[in-house]
Amino acid sequence: MNISRCLSIVTALLTLVALKAYIEWTAEKEERYPMPHAVRWQGGFITPIQPFEDISPAFVFHHFNASLKQFRHKIPRAKAYWNDKQYKNFRALEEGSAVNASWNKCPSADMEELATKIKHFNSYPELYKNFILYGDCRNYSLLINEPRKCAETKNNTFLLLAIKSVPGNFAARQAVRDTWGQEGEPGGLAVRTVFLLGTAEGQFRPRLQHLVHFESRSFGDILMWDFEDTFFNLTLKDSLFLRWTLDYCQGVRFILKGDDDVFINTPKVLGYLSSVDANKPLYMGQVMSNASPFRAHRSKYYVPESFYVGPYPAYAGGGGYIISGPLASLLLLISQFVAFYPIDDVYTGLCFQALGIPPQPHAGFMTFDIAEKDREDPCVHSQLLLVHRRSPQQTLHLWKQITDPNLRCGQEASKPQAQKPPGF
């Protein structure tokens, strides 16, 4: 029997075992929350007792064999920098060797070396050059921490609002605290909020750490790491937050990742999540399907062809999406074997694709805003879970309106109309 046929048989057997375990997992009625020390997945327990960089690639390959195989088939084999890097990760997985040897070497290359590897590299925008130069650097100091954030709940945290912000957005953070980001235990469901920050917002921006430290002492909701807080470092921010979650908030049931300029109808979110089957993995938001990289230089989402080739996976828009808390462990684990991508929501989609978990669309997520005629209508907003984007003043005004017990909308309230995502 040749090697190829043996591998096919082994893959089929592993897939059947995984399917059987998954059916048992979803059918089981036993409450699995909290799961402070382990995450059940496909018939086994993944226990993050050692640093993730020490986890054996063979362990990952065997546990996620079927989904990783499908993931590999969806990544075009090309000379583009990211594609080539990802195929090196695939080979390392098959060989059982490490893929993260360079993570503690920052930068992991130099400009001259990259210019010889990447076509037209010298014409790349500066942010792209820096992303590639430091793209393997994943270990940064946590300058401001809230280690007791989840420990202070009577029960385990039901919903953790993890809000991406930058140091200078003081007004946006305060608007969130005063409205939909208020902490508490409505209906016995513990809600906690953290803001995710780097340090300076760019090379020529003022460093605001002293002011942020004062803000942290006042409100106790800031997580700040020692990296430059730029758009292309949002993927890094996500990765560092996942590690923080495993260290300090392992029992969380749901995580809502969002920007500091979204408007969230928290009571409606809690009502929806209370009805969700806690035994099934959840990755939910406004789903982008059949998207491709932007090739226009002027776009914020510009991706050079020599950097990445291929379509994007289906993914939930990064303005705001919800995942099951236990998936944080799986996401961090699989991300060790998926090369960083400069657009954070696309990267999350790639990781979920590697896990074999598709995003679930929900009509209540409007990450590209709603029709202009509805932007000031509290009745329209009362039907939504999340809408992007609103100023601090708009957030305060809308929150006061939708939480007013005298608000009367009736059945004639118009259905929210989503704006079309740019480039689609």
Side-chain angles (χ1 to χ4, degrees), residues 6 16 65 89 140 186 189 201 214 220 231 274 300 326 368 415:
C6 286
L16 288 172
N65 185 42
N89 285 355
Y140 289 85
L189 304 176
E201 297 170 42
F214 177 80
F231 175 68
S274 296
K300 177 182 180 181
F368 294 96
K415 185 178 180 180

Side-chain angles (χ1 to χ4, degrees), residues 288-291 308 311-315 345-351 353:
M288 308 294 113
S289 300
N290 304 314
Y308 175 83
Y312 283 155
Y315 66 93
D345 49 7
V346 172
Y347 182 73
T348 299
L350 286 166
C351 289
Q353 188 179 68

Side-chain angles (χ1 to χ4, degrees), residues 102-115:
S102 62
W103 287 2
N104 291 320
K105 180 187 176 185
C106 297
S108 54
D110 59 54
M111 290 293 187
E112 292 183 7
E113 179 186 351
L114 292 171

